[in-house]
Amino acid sequence: MDLLTTSIYIILFIVMMIFVFSIGMLRPFMKKKEILLVLAVGFFIGVIGGAFFLTPIYSDLPEVAGSIERVLPFNEETLYLDVSSATDINALQNQLSGIDGFKSFEETGVTFRLWKLNDREYEYFNNVVGNINSHYSNYTINQSSGELYIALQDNFSSAEALKAFSDWYKLVFGSSIAYAQVHIKLVVSSSSLNQVEDVLLQNGIVASRIDGPVQSTINGTNENMLNNYEFSLVSGLIGVIVALFGIYFDSVAVFFRRLNGTIFRRGK
């Protein structure tokens, strides 16, 4: 939310509280039973004002807290991307590397989605995958989902890993692999995180996970915040307090006048 809209919302809430305060100041013209009605009105107006004007501002607090971390020069964010094998990885890397604050771009693994494997198939793939290519030294197979994950290392690219497995699969099963997922680890400075995310969105990519001070601050703030319902109730309590202040304003004003008079006389 921009600064102008935030300012307008805060001013509107203050106007509502002034209205509640004004109602409270009508106490001399009310019966005692009607004071409870004033408090109820203060609570209701506080809830409405909080829900419509303060909650949108309150919801933006995690982003505001994260923006503070973004401006610190030495902060870095690590983004984990899961992209389709149809993505032009080299073009994506070249596009991202042109951004100020780019640190590194690493292809960490490839996932092939097969089918739910029975015990015999699971044992077969476990014994064979490591022999398909000398770089397939680190892999895992999920029997229930049929997902085969191959970690990339020793400058072995995802394109090479995809080709090696696809050629073997076509030779053995007589069909082609239609889809695979490439996993990428991207490191950028925190100050360029928004720009990097914009470039990723232009390519239809959303980070599956982000680690770093910005994201940690956002997550920590979110965890410690009230939900919108609770925050609206707190706003209602503010309305009650303002109403009470209006109801007893005359008494408080008289008290402070007497206190000031006493201090003035003692000063003489």
Side-chain angles (χ1 to χ4, degrees):
M1 185 179 295
D2 59 87
L3 182 60
L4 177 61
T5 304
T6 300
S7 301
I8 292 173
Y9 279 9
I10 292 175
I11 290 172
L12 289 174
F13 183 79
I14 291 174
V15 169
M16 295 179 77
M17 292 300 99
I18 291 174
F19 176 71
V20 171
F21 178 78
S22 301
I23 295 176
M25 290 191 69
L26 297 175
R27 180 203 174 197
F29 308 100
M30 300 178 188
K31 298 178 181 178
K32 289 185 178 180
K33 294 181 179 180
E34 293 176 344
I35 293 177
L36 294 177
L37 179 61
V38 173
L39 297 178
V41 170
F43 179 79
F44 178 75
I45 293 177
V47 168
I48 297 298
F52 283 96
F53 300 129
L54 295 187
T55 297
I57 300 172
Y58 184 68
S59 299
D60 281 347
L61 282 182
E63 287 298 327
V64 173
S67 66
I68 297 173
E69 294 289 347
R70 282 188 176 93
V71 302
L72 299 179
F74 301 109
N75 282 346
E76 293 183 351
E77 304 295 316
T78 302
L79 293 82
Y80 296 89
L81 314 178
D82 300 322
V83 304
S84 167
S85 55
T87 303
D88 189 335
I89 304 295
N90 290 329
L92 177 63
Q93 181 176 2
N94 290 335
Q95 194 175 6
L96 291 169
S97 62
I99 299 174
D100 289 338
F102 172 86
K103 301 296 182 181
S104 65
F105 183 99
E106 177 187 0
E107 297 173 88
T108 58
V110 178
T111 296
F112 297 94
R113 288 186 170 86
L114 304 174
W115 58 86
K116 183 177 180 179
L117 305 173
N118 58 38
D119 292 340
R120 184 178 178 183
E121 291 170 332
Y122 176 70
E123 183 179 356
Y124 171 74
F125 275 102
N126 249 332
N127 293 330
V128 170
V129 170
N131 299 318
I132 295 175
N133 189 285
S134 59
H135 293 90
Y136 286 10
S137 59
N138 186 6
Y139 65 90
T140 57
I141 303 174
N142 188 312
Q143 183 176 0
S144 59
S145 66
E147 289 187 349
L148 165 61
Y149 171 79
I150 300 173
L152 300 178
Q153 50 192 351
D154 300 328
N155 296 319
F156 191 54
S157 69
S158 61
E160 294 172 312
L162 289 164
K163 185 178 186 307
F165 187 80
S166 181
D167 290 346
W168 171 84
Y169 189 86
K170 188 172 184 179
L171 180 65
V172 174
F173 294 96
S175 59
S176 301
I177 292 290
Y179 176 82
Q181 195 173 59
V182 180
H183 308 287
I184 298 169
K185 180 181 177 182
L186 174 64
V187 181
V188 299
S189 64
S190 297
S191 60
S192 62
L193 180 59
N194 286 344
Q195 189 178 357
V196 168
E197 288 181 322
D198 288 341
V199 171
L200 292 176
L201 283 175
Q202 291 170 12
N203 289 274
I205 301 170
V206 177
S208 57
R209 190 172 99 243
I210 302 177
D211 293 337
V214 172
Q215 197 62 38
S216 297
T217 300
I218 291 174
N219 292 340
T221 305
N222 274 320
E223 290 173 1
N224 292 292
M225 288 176 64
L226 302 172
N227 60 43
N228 290 345
Y229 175 76
E230 293 170 337
F231 184 74
S232 296
L233 292 180
V234 171
S235 300
L237 292 177
I238 293 175
V240 172
I241 293 171
V242 171
L244 284 170
F245 189 67
I247 290 170
Y248 295 104
F249 179 75
D250 288 341
S251 300
V252 173
V254 170
F255 171 77
F256 277 105
R257 282 198 297 267
R258 289 177 178 174
L259 181 61
N260 287 336
T262 302
I263 295 174
F264 179 74
R265 286 193 296 273
R266 287 182 179 177
K268 288 184 176 181

